[in-house]
Amino acid sequence: MNRAAVEVVDPGPLSTLQDLGRTGWAHLGVPRAGALDRGAAALARRLVGGAVDDAVIETTLGGIVLRTRRAVTLAVTGAPCPVRVDRRTVDHGAAVTVPAGAEVSVGAATSGVRSYVALSGGIDVEPVLGSRSTDTLAWVGPARLAAGHLLAVGSPPSPSDLPEPPPAIVVRPRARELRLVRGPRADWLGEGSWQALDGATYVVGADSDRVGLRLDGPRVERRGGELPSEGLVLGGVQLPPSGQPVVFLADHPTTGGYPVVALLLDDDLDLCAQLRPGDEVALRTM
Amino acid sequence: MVVPRLVPVGTRACLVEVEDGPAAASLADWARRTGISAEEIVPAATTVLFDGVDLPGLEAALAGWTRGAVSEPGPAVTVPVTYDGPDLAAVAQHWRCTVEDVVRVHTSLELTAVFSGFAPGFSYLSGLPAERAVPRLATPRARVARGSVALADTWCGIYPSASPGGWLVIGSTDAVLWDADRDPPALLAPGTRVRFEEAG
């Protein structure tokens, strides 16, 4: 039985499958993974009538090209980009039904970093440790997408089961601002360092990825010494002796030895998924 | 009896500080057996992270914990190493000895895998004496090669896959640290006794 619905023609710079991620394995060093822009991934699933934990495709800057082997309904959300079906432009942020044999081109992001492609019925791959997400730190989970990969989908919901589409999709432009609360090792900060963080502007570092958002800017003073390695959380802001903070994203290592001096508000994690190297971002302490 | 200290990590996680790695392992093991509800329970050098947990409930439950007995020694593994790491000279400088002495000391250590973490298959190996402690890099490398044998503080570790890291790399090994199709997947599961030898 050939259940393949979609073939990857060109995966772009980095395309992976992501669901809500895997929990319960951090003590073995397995990162959580999962879609970096959770809101955009959830919207894509909803547009095609998918379940909340369906795997979707996450692209990085350059988009992806797919070819359908049978008719599928899909939706592209997240970083804005041109979406074409056989060179005809279709809507971003809407469910689109594509006939068999069509080329679907999700173009390079015009702003932001990561676009999401949901397929009606959900992408059907074997879960690894309970999740269909690809972790890019240690490559636990399905392989990153490559040309020639075939993706199977589950049974699409019958039209009567489809939820009402959202009446309008409002993507509010977000201030490039990251809100911080004090972290478990805030006492490692030098005198006045916490106050200095408020309003400070940083540039997103070139080596930022799914593991962490690296911030280049004013050096944050901290005391010296070594902290015994300890467990890390999503959104933890780690401060190496260089004084340049790193915000931990979905593929963060599960333990580490630099102090976590601040925590990013959960609501601001999606913004981190869409910040490009070179973007300026302001910090706000709460 | 020492009551462990809770350090909140936001509103739904905390670090519980205990005296050492074995105590952390014991607390994590106890928490799993008692059925404490948490998304993640991560023992480490002197802490246990409880992530996705009800903080008041955890604090109340911790009153019932007493440190368990030290477990039996685990299996012995010898790891062959090529001592060609970029930080070998830096470690020799910290130890005020020659590079040859670093190799001699490292291959004479008897280490124990205390806890896992950082990345799948990464084990924190204890047994480096306090006077051999080395600081981490001021700026972590964005990429450390798979199989890198490295030191930080009094810990030794082997990178199971290429990843960012701030440990001082003294050598490399071909040993497969993590294989999802192997049972257990980790070569150096907690409790394993580890020695290093110079690869021939």
Side-chain angles (χ1 to χ4, degrees), chain B residues 5 25 31 43 53 71 88 128 148 153 156 158 185 191 195:
Chain B
R5 190 170 85 100
V53 73
S71 47
L88 195 54
L128 197 63
S148 293
D153 196 15
C156 180
I158 309 171
R195 295 193 71 109

Side-chain angles (χ1 to χ4, degrees), chain B residues 82-107:
Chain B
T82 304
Y83 287 91
D84 59 357
D87 303 317
L88 195 54
V91 170
Q93 207 162 22
H94 284 297
W95 290 1
R96 299 173 194 282
C97 67
T98 65
V99 162
E100 291 70 30
D101 289 335
V102 173
V103 175
R104 194 177 45 74
V105 169
H106 195 248
T107 51

Side-chain angles (χ1 to χ4, degrees), chain B residues 84-154:
Chain B
D84 59 357
D87 303 317
L88 195 54
V91 170
Q93 207 162 22
H94 284 297
W95 290 1
R96 299 173 194 282
C97 67
T98 65
V99 162
E100 291 70 30
D101 289 335
V102 173
V103 175
R104 194 177 45 74
V105 169
H106 195 248
T107 51
S108 67
L109 296 169
E110 292 186 26
L111 301 144
T112 306
V114 177
F115 62 97
S116 303
F118 177 61
F122 190 94
S123 286
Y124 288 79
L125 308 176
S126 75
L128 197 63
E131 65 271 18
R132 302 285 186 194
V134 293
R136 293 176 179 79
L137 297 174
T139 304
R141 290 188 173 96
R143 188 181 166 90
V144 176
R146 170 194 188 125
S148 293
V149 177
L151 306 176
D153 196 15
T154 56

Side-chain angles (χ1 to χ4, degrees), chain A residues 24 26 29 185 226 254-255 258 263, chain B residues 17 40 118-120 124 136-137:
Chain A
R185 304 300 172 195
E226 296 287 316
T254 61
T255 61
Y258 297 122
L263 301 168
Chain B
E17 295 186 330
E40 305 287 357
F118 177 61
Y124 288 79
R136 293 176 179 79
L137 297 174

Side-chain angles (χ1 to χ4, degrees), chain A residues 85-98:
Chain A
V85 175
D86 287 337
R87 299 179 187 279
R88 181 173 53 85
T89 299
V90 298
D91 284 342
H92 181 278
V96 179
T97 297
V98 179

Side-chain angles (χ1 to χ4, degrees), chain A:
Chain A
M1 185 174 71
N2 183 1
R3 294 159 58 249
V6 166
E7 179 183 350
V8 177
V9 176
D10 178 354
L14 173 65
S15 293
T16 57
L17 300 182
Q18 300 293 341
D19 55 17
L20 297 181
R22 49 180 68 78
T23 51
W25 299 96
H27 62 292
L28 293 182
V30 179
R32 74 191 65 228
L36 227 53
D37 185 340
R38 297 168 300 182
L43 175 61
R45 295 182 187 108
R46 184 176 169 197
L47 286 167
V48 298
V52 292
D53 60 347
D54 274 355
V56 299
I57 299 170
E58 179 181 283
T59 68
T60 313
L61 287 169
I64 188 170
V65 180
L66 306 168
R67 181 169 292 282
T68 57
R69 294 204 158 189
R70 55 185 171 85
V72 291
T73 299
L74 57 85
V76 180
T77 63
C81 60
V83 184
R84 294 190 184 88
V85 175
D86 287 337
R87 299 179 187 279
R88 181 173 53 85
T89 299
V90 298
D91 284 342
H92 181 278
V96 179
T97 297
V98 179
E103 186 176 275
V104 179
S105 160
V106 176
T110 52
S111 66
V113 178
R114 296 175 174 91
S115 304
Y116 292 86
V117 185
L119 301 174
S120 183
I123 297 168
D124 187 10
V125 291
E126 197 59 37
V128 176
L129 303 178
S131 163
R132 296 178 173 87
S133 290
T134 298
D135 143 60
T136 63
L137 181 69
W139 300 102
V140 175
R144 66 189 281 181
L145 297 182
H149 275 186
L150 298 175
L151 300 177
V153 298
S155 304
S158 69
S160 59
D161 290 341
L162 279 175
E164 283 292 307
I169 296 164
V170 181
V171 181
R172 283 185 296 275
R174 300 190 58 164
R176 286 196 183 147
E177 193 173 275
L178 300 178
R179 293 167 295 171
L180 306 177
V181 295
R182 291 173 75 87
R185 304 300 172 195
D187 56 337
W188 279 60
L189 286 167
E191 188 144 356
S193 287
W194 181 253
Q195 289 77 3
L197 281 175
D198 195 32
T201 301
Y202 284 81
V203 175
V204 174
D207 46 1
S208 297
D209 53 17
R210 284 183 46 89
V211 174
L213 188 77
R214 288 158 195 277
L215 299 176
D216 299 332
R219 179 191 164 93
V220 183
E221 295 301 329
R222 49 156 274 197
R223 66 178 161 96
E226 296 287 316
L227 178 74
S229 285
E230 60 189 21
L232 298 172
V233 299
L234 183 63
V237 181
Q238 195 187 48
L239 194 61
S242 64
Q244 305 296 301
V246 179
V247 182
F248 282 127
L249 304 180
D251 293 352
H252 70 79
T254 61
T255 61
Y258 297 122
V260 171
V261 295
L263 301 168
L264 183 71
L265 289 195
D266 198 65
D267 282 351
D268 291 351
L269 280 167
D270 286 2
L271 173 62
C272 292
Q274 302 295 358
L275 288 171
R276 288 186 175 193
D279 279 351
E280 283 200 346
V281 65
L283 304 184
R284 288 276 169 233
T285 58
M286 309 302 286

